Amino acid sequence: MAKNIKKQDERKSNIPTEQETTKENTLYYEEGMTVQDVADGFEVAVTEVIKKLMGLGVMASKTQSIDRETIELLALEFEYTVADKQVTDVTRFDEIKIDEDEEDLEERPPVVTIMGHVDHGKTTLLDTIRNTTVTAGEAGGITQHIGAYQVIKNGKKITFIDTPGHAAFTEMRARGAKATDITILMVAADDGVMPQTIEAIDHAKAAEVPIIVAVNKIDMPGANTERVMQQLSEYNLLSEDWGGDTIFCNISALTGEGVENLLEMIQLTAEIEQFKANPNRLASGIVIESELDKGRGPVATLLVKNGTLKVGDILVAGDTYGKVRAMEDETGETLETVPPSKAAEITGLHEVPLAGDSFMVFEDEKQARQVSEKRTHRTWQDEKGVNQAVTLDALFDSFKDEDLKELRIIIKGDTHGSIEALKASLEKIEVEGTTIDVIRASVGTISETDVTLAYASGAIIIGFNVRPNAAVRDTAKEKGVDIRLYNIIYKALEEIKMALTGMLDPIFEEVVTGEAEVRDIFKVSKLGTIGGCYVTNGVINRDSLVRVLRDGVVVFEGEMASLKRFKDDVKSVREGFECGIRIDKFNDIKVGDVIEASIEKEIPRQ
Ligand code: GDP
C-alpha cells in the first residue's frame, strides 16, 4: 500500500468537492425522501416512478416518502446508483462520508477488537498473538507503547485494538465512531456465556460488525465447547458445523493452540468483507486513546481509517486541533506516514481529545482552528447541566468504587516560584492508595481553558494568589468544576490531604457575593484613599471580606472600612449602582482594580 502514496499535495482533500457530491447518475439519499424527490433525482416524471412502484407492488402518491430499500430497487430500474447525501458542513466533519471511486480504493488490513467476559482470556490472547507472530515493526519481543498493534500473518497485516475492557469500544460506538471491522467474541469453555459475553454480542451486532467466536481455554479440564455453541445459538450465533454462518474457533490462548487458525479465519473474513481505503487522500479516522503527557503535552493514539497521515498535517480531533509534530508506532519507532488501518501515537494537538472522537486532516490551519472553536462551543452547549466533575468534598466517596485513586489537579498561581513549590509539595503528599497528578501548572489567572481541561479530565483547580473572574466562575459552576483558592501553601496541602483521607470538613466556604470596578480615586487626607466604584455584578455588603484584584492577581485581602452611596453609609450596594469603598489598611487602590466582596458561609457536607 505504502508504495502508492503520492506526494503530499496529491492527496485529495477530505472536504467533498462539488464534483464528488454531484456525480452523474447518482441519487443522493436523504431520510424522508418522497416519491417526487426521487423522481427529481432520477430526472424523470413522477408518474414514471409511481408506475415502477406499482410494478414493485408499492402503492404510493407523490408526496409519500419511501424507504431506502425501495429507492435502491427503483434505482436499478432507472440505472442510477444510490449514495448517501453528503455532509459538506466541515464543522460536522465526523459525519462526512466520502464516496470514493472504486479505482482509488486499495485493500487495507482488518481492524480487530477482542471482546468477552472478564477473565475469559482477552489479554492472554492479545499477548500470545503479539508474541507468536511477527509484529509489523520489528521481529518479536517488543514492549508495546500504544493501545493498538499490527501483526503480519501470511504476509498480510492485521491490526488489533487493545484498549482495556469494553469501555473504549462501547464509548466509541455510543459516539457513532466505528473503529472495528471484526470482533472476536471470547468465551471461556469452562465458564460459558456470561453477562459481559451477552453485552459484547449486543455491541457487535448493533455496530454491524462481523463476529468470530473464539472458544477459549480448551486445555482446561472442565472445558465444554459444545455447551458454548449451544448457549450462543440462543443469540443467533450458529456455528458452521451446525448449519449456521458464524465461525467458531476452539483455542487455548495460554498454550497457543488454535491461535494460528483463528488468525487465518480473521484473514478469511477480511477477504470476504473486502476492507478498502484510499491511501491517496488526507487522513481521517478515530482517536483510540489520549492523555496529557507531562513532557509532551496532549498525546493521542489515532487509528487512520482512510487516507494517509503525515507529519506536519493539520488536523481536528474531536473539538481540538493541531499540527502533527511527531508520530510513533507501537514499538516506539518514529513514523513519517501512517497508512489506512494503522494506529500511531501523535503529538502536536492543543488539547486532549476524547477516545472515540473522530479526527480529520484539513489543508488550512485557519479553517481547522475555526472548526475546533465552533465544535468546542457546541459540545459545551450540549454538556451544560451534565455534571461529571470531581469535587474535593465528594472526592473520598467517588474513590470508594474505583481501584486507582487519583486526584488530578490544575495549579494556577501568581509566580513561578509559588506554583513550583505548591506542585512539589502536593506531589509529595503520601496518602496510602492514592496518587496526585498535577496535569497543568502555570502562571496566570484561572481561565476558561483551565476549566474546560479540568472538566474533561476530571480535575480540580487550585488558584494560588489568583482568582477567576466572574465569567470563569460561572463556567466552573455550570460544569461543576471545583475551584479552590489559597494564599498559604500549607492550607492547600492540608485540605488536599484531608480530602484524600476522607476527613475533609468543609464547614465554611467563602462565597463571592459581588464585584465592583474602581473607576475613580479620591484621596481624603484624614481617611486615606476611597475608590469610586461601580458594582458590575452581584452585591457588595458593608461587612464583606474584600479582595483587590489587579489583572486577576490578588494585590490585597482584608476588610472594608466603609461603604457609601453619595454621602451616606449603606449596608449594601447592588449591581448597576455606584458607591465609594474604603478598604481597611490599604490605600493603594488604582483605577481599573476590581474589588471582590465575599462572605463566609457554612456549607453542609455532601
Ligand atoms: P481477560 O480478563 O479476558 O483479559 O482475561 P485474561 O487474559 O487476564 O485471563 C484470565 C485468566 O485466565 C488468566 O489467569 C489467564 O492465565 C487464564 N487463561 C487465559 N487463557 C487461558 C487458556 O487458554 N487456558 C488456560 N488454562 N488459562 C487461560
Side-chain angles (χ1 to χ4, degrees), residues 117-124 216-220 251-254:
H117 197 71
V118 63
D119 280 344
H120 280 198
K122 298 180 291 290
T123 316
T124 311
N216 190 32
K217 305 199 187 184
I218 52 167
D219 59 302
M220 295 279 279
I251 64 164
S252 166
L254 198 66

Side-chain angles (χ1 to χ4, degrees), residues 58-115:
V58 180
M59 294 298 173
S61 67
K62 63 180 182 184
T63 53
Q64 225 166 314
S65 57
I66 43 178
D67 59 18
R68 179 158 184 158
E69 215 171 309
T70 312
I71 295 175
E72 303 252 9
L73 288 173
L74 285 171
L76 285 177
E77 301 270 347
F78 291 99
E79 296 182 346
Y80 263 69
T81 355
V82 180
D84 286 311
K85 169 98 181 155
Q86 289 280 11
V87 172
T88 45
D89 172 7
V90 286
T91 66
R92 282 160 57 208
F93 70 84
D94 41 349
E95 292 167 38
I96 292 178
K97 285 194 204 108
I98 292 166
D99 191 15
E100 300 281 7
D101 281 333
E102 193 58 38
E103 66 205 34
D104 292 334
L105 290 172
E106 290 179 25
E107 195 184 321
R108 63 171 178 85
V111 179
V112 181
T113 318
I114 302 177
M115 301 211 291

